[in-house]
Amino acid sequence: MLKYSNITSLVGNTPLIKLKKASEITGCNILGKAEFLNPGQSVKDRAALYMIKNAEENKKLIVEGTGGNTGIGLTVIGNALGYKTKIVMPENQSIEKINLLKYLGAEVVLTKQLPFTDPNNYIQLAKRIAKEENAIWTNQFDNLANREAHIKTTSQEIWSQTNGTIDAFICSVGTGGTLAGNFIGLKEKNKNIKVFCADPYGSGMYSWIRKGKSKATLTSITEGIGQSRITKNLEGIKFDGAFKVHDRTALKIVYELIKSEGLLVGPTSGINVGGAIKLAKHLGPNKTIVTILCDGAERYKSKIFNEKFLQEKNFNFKELNS
């Protein structure tokens, strides 16, 4: 019988799942890394574990500014390792993530959605609180332990699980750690592997990667992704390309994955799979393409299954879910 000293041993080694419809319509082998199977139920558990390991051991309070999933990962892993957490979030994040953090024992501080340069922006506020309380500020956006987690774990797993046959990788950017870490790790294995960004509207990554200048247009209902600042996790990386994916496309993919493949995933996974489909059509048939299934749909049910909310955002739930 296998025995583990704590749940940190359960972070990573998630399976790759073949995405049936995406593969069929493109003639490619499109695989999703099932990151919702981590103990904190998202890809952010990997970064959380590496950032905690890299933190000062004489401090027992962790403070982070996050859209939710990194905070959940830090709290779950922190609980197992004896840390307390204080999580600063924009107030427009889903009530499910806010409540889950509270149930896990984190102290949650909500702030208005403000530009990064504003002193009350959630990242700036987290930094200030950590300094005032002599706590660890994990600083996920600029902490290179974030992308190191994906260099050392995610990319190595993908290479092994595909027996080195992977042709391309694509996912969205929140902090940049997942995309940049897999870029570095996979390119070290085979420099010909293509690494692309799937970008929601309201984010500047598409224009930065394609034109060298970050410029955001329109908006998105997705949470935790969509970055216009070039974080330290992204610095020095020259991605192979990027695709824009509309929320409408992402939602339709999410509903289809749930109904046809039993994958109860959140809207970021819809963006990622939408990007993988575009990348497959760009590269041509018979390619193996991997993307990230970031987290579960239950964290967003008050939004993506809420007809009133969707109608306010000019989406028709019944039409998208038909």
Side-chain angles (χ1 to χ4, degrees):
M1 181 183 293
L2 291 175
K3 292 183 179 180
Y4 301 104
S5 58
N6 58 55
I7 62 164
T8 64
S9 300
L10 302 178
V11 176
N13 293 309
T14 56
L16 283 179
I17 299 172
K18 183 168 183 175
L19 305 180
K20 181 175 64 176
K21 184 170 182 180
S23 298
E24 287 175 354
I25 64 175
T26 60
C28 285
N29 187 32
I30 297 183
L31 309 172
K33 194 95 164 82
E35 292 297 289
F36 55 86
L37 294 177
N38 281 306
Q41 300 175 11
S42 90
V43 65
K44 294 296 188 177
D45 284 14
R46 294 180 187 262
L49 178 58
Y50 268 65
M51 289 189 297
I52 288 176
K53 281 182 173 181
N54 202 46
E56 296 179 51
E57 294 182 6
N58 62 332
K59 297 179 180 180
K60 287 300 180 181
L61 174 66
I62 293 169
V63 179
E64 182 56 278
T66 169
N69 279 339
T70 301
I72 293 166
L74 287 168
T75 302
V76 167
I77 293 165
N79 285 350
L81 298 177
Y83 292 87
K84 297 295 184 183
T85 50
K86 181 175 283 192
I87 305 302
V88 185
M89 298 174 68
E91 61 187 6
N92 66 336
Q93 302 303 286
S94 74
I95 191 64
E96 289 84 6
K97 286 191 288 188
I98 293 168
N99 284 341
L100 179 55
L101 279 162
K102 292 177 180 178
Y103 300 151
L104 289 168
E107 181 180 346
V108 179
V109 179
L110 298 178
T111 186
K112 293 185 183 300
Q113 188 176 23
L114 297 165
F116 177 73
T117 52
D118 191 291
N120 287 317
N121 166 274
Y122 70 106
I123 301 169
Q124 304 287 10
L125 183 55
K127 179 181 180 180
R128 191 162 70 248
I129 289 171
K131 184 176 181 180
E132 290 169 355
E133 301 192 19
N134 191 31
I136 298 163
W137 177 41
T138 41
N139 187 20
Q140 60 169 327
F141 290 84
D142 296 314
N143 186 340
L144 295 184
N146 178 347
R147 79 181 189 189
E148 189 70 13
H150 298 285
I151 296 170
K152 294 288 180 63
T153 69
T154 322
S155 65
Q156 306 305 311
E157 292 167 26
I158 290 170
W159 179 259
S160 176
Q161 289 168 326
T162 61
N163 295 314
T165 63
I166 177 175
D167 296 292
F169 175 88
I170 186 168
C171 75
S172 53
V173 165
T175 64
T178 305
L179 188 61
N182 280 286
F183 176 96
I184 294 168
L186 290 171
K187 294 278 190 180
E188 285 176 350
K189 295 291 187 182
N190 178 356
K191 65 181 181 180
N192 295 318
I193 295 171
K194 303 298 183 185
V195 179
F196 277 61
C197 172
D199 210 31
Y201 286 84
S203 171
M205 291 296 97
Y206 175 86
S207 65
W208 174 63
I209 292 168
R210 291 177 64 107
K211 301 176 182 178
K213 186 175 181 180
S214 175
K215 183 179 179 182
T217 58
L218 305 178
T219 60
S220 171
I221 66 167
T222 54
E223 298 181 15
I225 59 170
Q227 180 63 259
S228 293
R229 181 170 69 91
I230 311 307
T231 67
K232 289 195 182 302
N233 281 295
L234 292 168
E235 285 180 359
I237 306 292
K238 301 293 183 184
F239 297 106
D240 294 299
F243 295 104
K244 279 282 190 188
V245 182
H246 197 278
D247 284 349
R248 189 177 304 279
T249 300
L251 288 170
K252 197 164 185 63
I253 287 170
V254 165
Y255 302 145
E256 184 68 35
L257 286 171
I258 293 170
K259 290 189 301 179
S260 301
E261 305 190 40
L263 289 166
L264 190 65
V265 293
T268 299
S269 297
I271 295 286
N272 289 348
V273 175
I277 291 169
K278 287 191 171 189
L279 179 55
K281 291 177 178 178
H282 171 72
L283 295 177
N286 303 314
K287 300 294 191 298
T288 295
I289 298 168
V290 176
T291 191
I292 300 291
L293 303 178
C294 305
D295 61 7
E298 67 279 0
R299 293 187 177 178
Y300 310 93
K301 63 184 180 182
S302 62
K303 293 186 176 182
I304 66 172
F305 303 125
N306 182 338
E307 290 190 46
K308 183 180 178 181
F309 171 82
L310 291 172
Q311 189 173 22
E312 289 171 353
K313 302 295 182 181
N314 297 315
F315 298 117
N316 186 314
F317 174 76
K318 291 179 180 176
E319 179 185 310
L320 292 173
N321 202 26
S322 61

